[in-house]
């Protein structure tokens, strides 16, 4: 389950209630994403709070963009998060899709490439390995609880990105806009082959999609409202045209069927993205997941 970090008018009580409900429920992971030029909570600060508010679920950044951060400082922040949550951190990383976030922090949009992403990952892994990169008396710490650093997932939608990440990522943190299961299955096959060629263990295969649970037209309208807010860098008429086929909206029984289809193609996790901060949405999904188990 993804935190409702892209919803409006969030407060501490709402975020804490979501985190604790997910931790107490049948979910495997608690996820949240990063944006800069938006009114969402800052991702690494939120990591500290989520580490304190939860005890069981893995905490998954979906995704952090290394090019928006100094890689040594980012490695330190993530290692601190891994310490605070007792080694439950998984780091989803990607290049991001918005130049405005790069400009907001003075980062060069020209670095929005997989090669530059890989360069920063290499620095982070050296920090986590305890190498002294700064010439100081001691290396940059603390060391992460997970030896060698947290699990790394590449945020991706395409095969070229998947292949380029096989040397350093432990799996995928993908997203499907239209819930095309066959397309996701083909992407997973690309990942399996790429990881095998790189001599790596089989990749962790995760995908995600926006969701709204309910009856009638209300769930689809909820998704539409969310997309208009979240996709504010895209002209509203374009979002209006996308909305009828983007994300998922329907009843609990229909969600059950969709999740079963993703399980059948070997999906290890589906990171569900809420389109409302209403905690009842999580309760309804929890019932579906309990039935699947």
């Amino acid at each position: 389950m993804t935190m409702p970090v892209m919803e409006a008018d969030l407060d501490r009580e709402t975020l804490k209630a979501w985190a604790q409900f997910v931790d107490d429920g049948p979910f495997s992971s608690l996820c949240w994403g990063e944006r800069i030029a938006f009114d969402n909570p800052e991702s690494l600060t939120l990591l500290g709070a989520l580490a304190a508010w939860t005890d069981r679920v893995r905490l998954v950044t979906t995704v952090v963009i290394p090019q928006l951060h100094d890689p040594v400082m980012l490695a330190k922040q993530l290692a601190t998060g891994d310490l605070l949550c007792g080694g439950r951190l998984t780091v989803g990383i990607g290049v991001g899709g918005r130049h405005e976030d790069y400009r907001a922090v003075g980062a060069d949009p020209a670095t929005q490439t997989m090669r530059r992403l890989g360069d920063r990952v290499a620095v982070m892994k050296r920090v986590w390995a305890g190498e002294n990169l700064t010439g100081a008396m001691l290396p940059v710490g603390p060391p992460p609880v997970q030896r060698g650093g947290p699990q790394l997932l590449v945020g991706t939608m395409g095969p070229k990105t998947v292949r380029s990440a096989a040397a350093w990522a432990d799996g995928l943190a993908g997203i499907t806009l239209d819930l095309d299961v066959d397309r996701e299955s083909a992407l997973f096959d690309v990942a399996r082959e790429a990881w095998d060629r790189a001599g790596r263990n089989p990749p962790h295969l995760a995908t995600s999609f926006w969701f709204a649970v309910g009856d009638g037209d209300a769930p689809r309208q909820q998704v539409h409202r969310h997309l208009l807010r979240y996709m504010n860098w895209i002209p509203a008429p374009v979002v209006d045209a996308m909305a009828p086929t983007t994300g998922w909206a329907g009843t609990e029984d229909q969600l059950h069927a969709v999740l079963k289809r993703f399980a059948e193609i070997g999906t290890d996790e589906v990171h569900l993205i809420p389109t409302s901060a209403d905690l009842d949405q999580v309760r309804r999904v929890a019932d579906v997941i309990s039935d699947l188990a």
Side-chain angles (χ1 to χ4, degrees):
M1 178 57 63
T2 302
M3 293 287 290
V5 292
M6 303 302 173
E7 296 301 311
D9 302 321
L10 294 175
D11 54 30
R12 178 182 185 274
E13 288 71 25
T14 299
L15 293 170
K16 185 177 181 181
W18 272 68
Q20 292 182 336
F21 187 91
V22 171
D23 195 45
D24 290 340
F27 302 95
S28 58
S29 296
L30 181 61
C31 313
W32 69 101
E34 176 172 59
R35 284 186 72 172
I36 305 298
F38 204 68
D39 59 0
N40 59 301
E42 195 279 319
S43 294
L44 299 172
T45 306
L46 184 59
L47 168 57
L50 295 176
W53 290 338
T54 63
D55 294 302
R56 181 189 63 83
V57 288
R58 289 200 68 81
L59 304 179
V60 185
T61 67
T62 54
V63 295
V64 164
I65 303 167
Q67 291 94 315
L68 304 182
H69 305 266
D70 177 89
V72 173
M73 189 63 186
L74 180 58
K76 184 180 183 74
Q77 290 167 313
L78 292 171
T80 301
D82 198 47
L83 172 67
L84 294 175
C85 72
R88 291 183 286 125
L89 179 62
T90 292
V91 179
I93 54 179
V95 300
R98 292 168 293 274
H99 284 179
E100 64 182 6
D101 284 347
Y102 280 72
R103 297 189 187 100
V105 297
D108 184 355
T111 66
Q112 192 180 20
T113 67
M114 286 300 295
R115 183 175 67 83
R116 295 297 183 90
L117 174 66
D119 291 343
R120 283 160 173 77
V121 169
V123 172
M124 292 162 59
K125 287 195 168 190
R126 291 176 65 192
V127 171
W128 292 334
E131 290 188 37
N132 192 331
L133 305 185
T134 66
M137 294 291 292
L138 292 172
V140 174
V145 173
Q146 299 173 84
R147 186 173 181 179
Q151 180 187 46
L152 298 179
L153 304 180
V154 59
T156 181
M157 293 178 65
K160 184 177 179 180
T161 304
V162 167
R163 294 187 183 99
S164 69
W168 55 262
D170 300 301
L172 312 185
I175 186 168
T176 172
L177 300 183
D178 57 3
L179 279 76
D180 187 324
V181 177
D182 291 338
R183 186 182 300 127
E184 287 299 285
S185 181
L187 185 65
F188 289 170
D189 285 342
V190 170
R192 293 183 184 104
E193 180 182 357
W195 262 248
D196 182 63
R197 287 189 176 185
R200 307 287 307 285
N201 292 329
H204 182 82
L205 301 173
T207 192
S208 62
F209 53 82
W210 286 288
F211 79 91
V213 183
D215 299 309
D217 295 333
R220 178 52 61 185
Q221 293 169 358
Q222 177 178 304
V223 172
H224 193 166
R225 288 193 299 270
H226 174 86
L227 294 177
L228 283 169
R229 170 178 165 78
Y230 179 74
M231 293 183 167
N232 63 341
W233 73 95
I234 298 174
V238 177
V239 178
D240 290 341
M242 294 171 55
T245 58
T246 298
W248 176 89
T251 66
E252 286 91 338
D253 287 344
Q254 291 168 334
L255 179 59
H256 187 283
V258 167
L259 294 176
K260 282 190 68 175
R261 291 180 64 202
F262 278 102
E264 288 166 358
I265 64 169
T267 310
D268 293 307
E269 280 191 322
V270 173
H271 299 151
L272 294 166
I273 308 171
T275 53
S276 166
D278 184 354
L279 193 57
D280 185 61
Q281 290 283 290
V282 190
R283 294 190 182 100
R284 298 178 76 161
V285 174
D287 290 340
V288 173
I289 295 173
S290 296
D291 288 343
L292 280 171

